[in-house]
Amino acid sequence: MSDTTTVSDGVVTVDGVPTGLFVDGDWRQASGGGTFPVRDPSTGTVIAEVADATADDAMAALDAAVAAQDDWAATPPRTRYDLLRRTFDLVHEHADDLAALMTLEMGKPLAESRGEVVYGAEFLRWFSEEAVRIGGDYRTNPEGTGRAIVLKRPVGPVYAITPWNFPLAMATRKIGPALAAGCTVVVKPADLTPLTTLFLAELFRRAGLPHGVLNVVTTTDAKAVSEPVLADPRLRKLTFTGSTPVGSALLKQAADNVLKTSMELGGNAPLLVFDDADLDRAVDAAMLAKFRNVGEACTAANRFFVQEGIADAFSAALTARVEELRIGRGTEDGTTLGPLIDERAVDKAARLVDDAVERGARLVTGGHRIDRPGTYYAATVLDDVQPGSDILSTEIFGPVVSITRFATEDEGIRMANDTEFGLIAYAYTSDFARGQRLAERLETGMLGLNTGVVSNAAFPFGGVKASGLGREGSHEGIEEYLESVYVLTPDPFAG
Ligand code: ADP
């Protein structure tokens, strides 16, 4: 470990991680001097006190972003590339520090945090490469009387609100494309996991970030701090990842200021297993789709729909694997399932499981809290979950498998689409034509076909229906931070 975290005898402490607000290139205290505690969910102990921004602090951050906007937009794309690429390198140099920090504040096993470092860094590399490839258009108008030039301009200062479940990747997938496009940014990370974003800002600073181009405000009062920023006409873009109710409330505020918006909201992912699936591979993939990130992912498989002919075998094989999961602190060797983020998350998992059982589901394994310090819930499998159970309509965000059986492809698709959400679906089948039919009929922004994880900076991540607006990653990701300017000129050959 270098300058971020130290792990000795299983005790983790945070050294050298900034705990202030990052405004206009410098670290500062909150204007009221307030701080709030950040806790390790695996023990409940306080690991840091972080500055608790007021609305004035957020406005100072916006002032800095606005002041920096024109110069940043005018920097050569290669300069923007260099900054993102240097930060990508620094993230990798500090991979162990960042991984330990994420495990400490969020709880997931260290191996998964290391995976997030690689994944999260990739948004910096991908969008550094996109920075130098921003396109435009030149063409003759259909009438032949003129020429149109379409150029791309950065949309302007961005406000980015991120959740706690992927503390690094959710920040880089917004900051990466924004900076690449020439936009300046104010980021408001979740108060449960602010330290990773603060450390990322420090790495940007070390990589040569100009003042004001990236600012970070941490706060326990997200609403009061965000409202004046969202109402300020100098702000031009809101990008949010979080729950659908909060996203919907933010969209209403954004409407008043006619902000360009990107919304990554809740999911309720179906996972379909067909009779013709390769059982072992389907189980491997399902374990990833369900238990990655302790189940706390908007992409987590929420509703398992298993065809009748394979259901008993799938349920038994999956349960055997679930019972092998080792619950513990993310920093402990061999841990494959960490704590949930907080007591509320444990209560929610318990409530959903109890409701499903009361409505007739079979509890196959788990189904209880774990009696140890920290906020743990046992890895759980429910089979024969009945229609109308809350678990089928609610994002679980925990280590609970909910299995419902279906007979025909049509029935499986109907069940899968029976939700207001449409972020991701998973399906296991060895029939390629069926896979194509699913791709065309499932109401989803993403489909994992015979695989358990789809996230990749190179491809468009996002949902349909109540799961959101816009895409992150791929060449589409940078478009979210650009706007087109169309210029018409007369036919240069006309006299
Ligand atoms: P979760 O339930 O996963 O915590 P939320 O949607 O509540 O998801 O939170 C996601 C992010 O949105 C966090 O950074 C949180 O602080 C922020 N947030 C929550 N409520 C508001 C609000 N009213 N205005 C602005 N940001 C908010």
Side-chain angles (χ1 to χ4, degrees):
M1 295 281 127
S2 55
D3 61 353
T4 309
T5 54
T6 49
V7 184
S8 62
D9 301 330
V11 178
V12 188
T13 51
V14 180
D15 315 312
V17 176
T19 54
L21 309 176
F22 187 62
V23 178
D24 205 12
D26 284 318
W27 295 101
R28 58 166 79 165
Q29 292 308 307
S31 52
T35 63
F36 64 91
V38 181
R39 289 176 198 279
D40 173 354
S42 73
T43 57
T45 52
V46 174
I47 52 172
E49 287 283 338
V50 168
D52 198 354
T54 62
D56 286 348
D57 295 319
M59 290 308 287
L62 179 62
D63 290 345
V66 169
Q69 177 59 57
D70 285 351
D71 283 352
W72 183 243
T75 47
R78 185 61 76 196
T79 304
R80 305 203 293 268
Y81 164 93
D82 283 337
L83 174 70
L84 289 165
R85 181 64 206 217
R86 273 199 299 271
T87 310
F88 167 82
D89 290 339
L90 284 173
V91 165
H92 274 280
E93 276 169 36
H94 290 274
D96 286 346
D97 300 331
L98 280 161
L101 194 53
M102 273 192 278
T103 289
L104 192 58
E105 64 176 350
M106 185 272 166
K108 73 182 97 183
L110 259 181
E112 291 193 37
S113 292
R114 289 200 189 95
E116 184 176 340
V117 172
V118 174
Y119 170 56
E122 218 40 55
F123 288 96
L124 303 177
R125 178 157 68 173
W126 176 266
F127 285 109
S128 73
E129 294 160 344
E130 288 294 294
V132 290
R133 308 220 189 311
I134 296 169
D137 200 5
Y138 180 86
R139 61 174 91 181
T140 304
N141 65 351
E143 300 75 23
T145 55
R147 299 291 182 273
I149 304 165
V150 179
L151 54 106
K152 298 284 180 173
R153 278 203 310 230
V155 65
V158 173
Y159 189 48
I161 303 178
T162 57
W164 50 265
N165 58 343
F166 291 97
L168 181 69
M170 296 302 107
T172 54
R173 66 154 74 167
K174 298 184 185 317
I175 297 168
L179 265 49
C183 298
T184 59
V185 186
V186 177
V187 184
K188 193 215 74 63
D191 57 348
L192 291 165
T193 60
L195 296 168
T196 303
T197 312
L198 293 172
F199 190 56
L200 176 67
E202 171 62 16
L203 296 182
F204 266 106
R205 195 187 65 76
R206 291 182 200 170
L209 179 85
H211 281 214
V213 168
L214 170 66
N215 307 271
V216 184
V217 288
T218 48
T219 179
T220 50
D221 197 349
K223 187 168 187 289
V225 160
S226 301
E227 268 170 6
V229 175
L230 292 168
D232 191 306
R234 298 172 302 166
L235 186 77
R236 292 318 318 140
K237 162 98 192 177
L238 166 65
T239 172
F240 170 77
T241 299
S243 61
T244 297
V246 172
S248 168
L250 289 169
L251 275 171
K252 292 186 183 104
Q253 292 177 57
D256 285 340
N257 200 4
V258 196
L259 296 177
K260 192 172 169 89
T261 54
S262 300
M263 295 273 149
E264 296 291 352
L265 307 178
N268 184 9
L271 184 151
L272 293 143
V273 185
F274 289 89
D275 285 348
D276 59 13
D278 177 320
L279 181 65
D280 292 341
R281 289 191 182 179
V283 170
D284 283 347
M287 288 298 291
L288 272 177
K290 177 74 249 182
F291 291 99
R292 190 170 75 108
N293 223 48
V294 207
E296 296 168 313
C298 50
T299 51
N302 215 57
R303 300 167 297 147
F304 286 54
F305 298 117
V306 188
Q307 203 165 13
E308 283 165 1
I310 199 172
D312 286 342
F314 178 83
S315 179
L318 186 75
T319 301
R321 291 284 299 280
V322 169
E323 288 176 342
E324 283 169 13
L325 288 170
R326 272 191 51 195
I327 287 197
R329 300 188 65 196
T331 46
E332 285 163 6
D333 275 350
T335 293
T336 47
L337 196 67
L340 291 178
I341 188 70
D342 59 12
E343 204 60 53
R344 261 183 29 196
V346 176
D347 289 346
K348 181 179 181 187
R351 181 172 55 73
L352 291 173
V353 169
D354 293 349
D355 171 77
V357 170
E358 272 166 35
R359 292 175 194 260
R362 267 188 307 120
L363 179 61
V364 186
T365 191
H368 55 85
R369 295 157 195 265
I370 306 283
D371 185 19
R372 57 179 284 169
T375 42
Y376 294 87
Y377 193 79
T380 299
V381 176
L382 296 165
D383 203 340
D384 286 323
V385 173
Q386 299 298 309
S389 303
D390 287 347
I391 203 162
L392 295 175
S393 55
T394 311
E395 194 170 24
I396 305 168
F397 249 60
V400 180
V401 173
S402 152
I403 298 176
T404 303
R405 294 159 187 240
F406 69 89
T408 63
E409 183 179 309
D410 276 352
E411 189 188 14
I413 291 174
R414 189 180 48 70
M415 286 175 161
N417 286 342
D418 184 19
T419 170
E420 66 190 296
F421 296 104
L423 185 62
I424 185 166
Y426 302 90
Y428 307 100
T429 174
S430 50
D431 178 345
F432 187 68
R434 168 177 280 152
Q436 289 174 286
R437 289 195 294 277
L438 294 171
E440 294 192 21
R441 291 182 65 197
L442 289 172
E443 294 164 4
T444 182
M446 301 177 282
L447 172 62
L449 194 54
N450 295 320
T451 187
V453 179
V454 304
S455 304
N456 187 313
F459 301 114
F461 184 106
V464 300
K465 295 159 79 178
S467 289
L469 300 168
R471 294 293 180 272
E472 296 190 309
S474 87
H475 65 276
E476 291 181 42
I478 197 165
E479 291 292 331
E480 303 274 334
Y481 297 86
L482 294 167
E483 55 196 2
S484 297
V485 178
Y486 152 63
V487 182
L488 185 65
T489 65
D491 177 357
F493 295 101

